[in-house]
């Protein structure tokens, strides 16, 4: 498939997949998955316009049209509610998104509430933890330092700078150490910090390494 026609619809449906693969929205309120998508979408100007336009395009051509069959096959398969079709569920989600676009209220949250939302809010931190401190860590690295050196060699200044910023935001937002551990696992961390170092202290140390690496 050379061209992705509905990239933002892909992302929207992944938000539903992360929250149970079910459309749970009602005419009165978005469900948890759509709420998580909305919280992230409003952070990017114009994104609500984009996803609404894509849903309109998708519903106009028809979900089961041969014209888009190849791409539809790659979309997460989200179960509709008992009294609606998938297209009706997408239309309902579209109505909620349009209401938010026009200034309507939505459910704010201090921290992400789904795996998808954690990854969306901290993409570079997920790239660092999930890409270098995963379950196969010991197959590739002899130490945490070696993994960090590999990360620094493989990534450019903008990515490293953003990862440092995300660590700062992550540590500030998640004050409870137990919740910090759970959130770090969601973001891909599958190894313990170095011996006798707490997770919070280790992440602070990593942030320091990233910031130091950025200095001329």
């Amino acid at each position: 498939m050379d061209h992705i026609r509905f990239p933002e619809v892909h992302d929207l449906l992944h938000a539903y997949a992360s929250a149970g693969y079910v459309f749970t929205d009602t005419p009165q309120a978005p469900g948890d998955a759509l709420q998580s998508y909305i919280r992230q979408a409003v952070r990017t100007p114009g994104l609500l316009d984009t996803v609404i336009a894509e849903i309109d395009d998708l519903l106009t051509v028809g979900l089961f049209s041969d014209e888009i069959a190849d791409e539809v096959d790659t979309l997460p398969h989200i179960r509709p509610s008992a009294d609606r079709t998938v297209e009706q569920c997408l239309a309902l989600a579209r109505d909620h998104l349009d209401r938010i676009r026009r200034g309507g209220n939505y459910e704010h949250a201090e921290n992400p509430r789904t795996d998808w939302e954690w990854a969306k809010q901290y993409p570079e931190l997920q790239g660092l933890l999930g890409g270098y401190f995963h379950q196969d860590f010991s197959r590739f690295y002899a130490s945490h330092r070696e993994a960090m050196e590999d990360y620094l060699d493989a990534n450019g200044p903008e990515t490293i700078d953003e990862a440092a910023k995300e660590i700062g935001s992550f540590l500030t937002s998640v004050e409870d150490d137990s919740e910090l551990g759970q959130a770090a696992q969601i973001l891909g961390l599958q190894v313990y910090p170095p011996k006798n170092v707490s997770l919070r202290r280790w992440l602070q140390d990593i942030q320091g390494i990233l910031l130091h690496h950025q200095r001329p």
Side-chain angles (χ1 to χ4, degrees), residues 6-21:
F6 309 106
E8 202 53 41
V9 171
H10 278 262
D11 216 15
L12 171 64
L13 294 182
H14 278 293
Y16 283 98
S18 179
Y21 285 88

Side-chain angles (χ1 to χ4, degrees), residues 34-175:
L34 187 54
Q35 290 282 10
S36 72
Y37 180 86
I38 289 168
R39 282 191 293 271
Q40 296 305 311
V42 297
R43 298 160 64 96
T44 303
L47 191 54
L48 288 174
D49 293 331
T50 299
V51 68
I52 289 169
E54 286 186 16
I55 293 173
D56 287 343
D57 184 18
L58 179 60
L59 294 179
T60 297
V61 71
L63 191 62
F64 302 104
S65 168
D66 290 341
E67 179 182 343
I68 58 172
D70 288 345
E71 183 167 357
V72 168
D73 283 345
T74 69
L75 294 170
H77 293 175
I78 311 303
R79 297 191 303 277
S81 52
D83 57 343
R84 295 186 181 91
T85 65
V86 171
E87 289 178 315
Q88 288 171 334
C89 290
L90 284 170
L92 179 57
R94 187 247 187 242
D95 289 344
H96 284 302
L97 292 165
D98 187 50
R99 177 180 58 81
I100 301 304
R101 177 175 61 171
R102 292 183 285 106
N105 295 325
Y106 61 93
E107 183 178 339
H108 296 264
E110 185 174 345
N111 286 317
R113 293 184 176 176
T114 68
D115 291 6
W116 175 89
E117 193 176 2
W118 278 109
K120 199 69 179 176
Q121 189 158 327
Y122 298 102
E124 299 304 338
L125 180 55
Q126 183 191 44
L128 170 57
L129 297 180
Y132 295 84
F133 298 96
H134 45 69
Q135 62 183 1
D136 294 324
F137 167 84
S138 60
R139 290 179 52 198
F140 296 95
Y141 306 112
S143 67
H144 295 75
R145 178 183 293 275
E146 186 177 323
M148 280 303 303
E149 290 174 350
D150 192 19
Y151 172 82
L152 294 172
D153 288 342
N155 291 276
E158 291 185 1
T159 298
I160 293 171
D161 182 58
E162 185 59 31
K165 291 177 181 177
E166 288 184 10
I167 291 174
S169 174
F170 183 64
L171 293 174
T172 299
S173 298
V174 188
E175 297 180 350

Side-chain angles (χ1 to χ4, degrees), residues 144 177 180 189 191-206 209:
H144 295 75
D177 285 346
L180 187 73
L189 180 64
V191 300
Y192 290 109
K195 188 175 181 180
N196 297 325
V197 179
S198 71
L199 174 59
R200 187 174 296 275
R201 177 72 260 174
W202 181 55
L203 289 173
Q204 290 170 338
D205 291 343
I206 288 177
I209 291 170

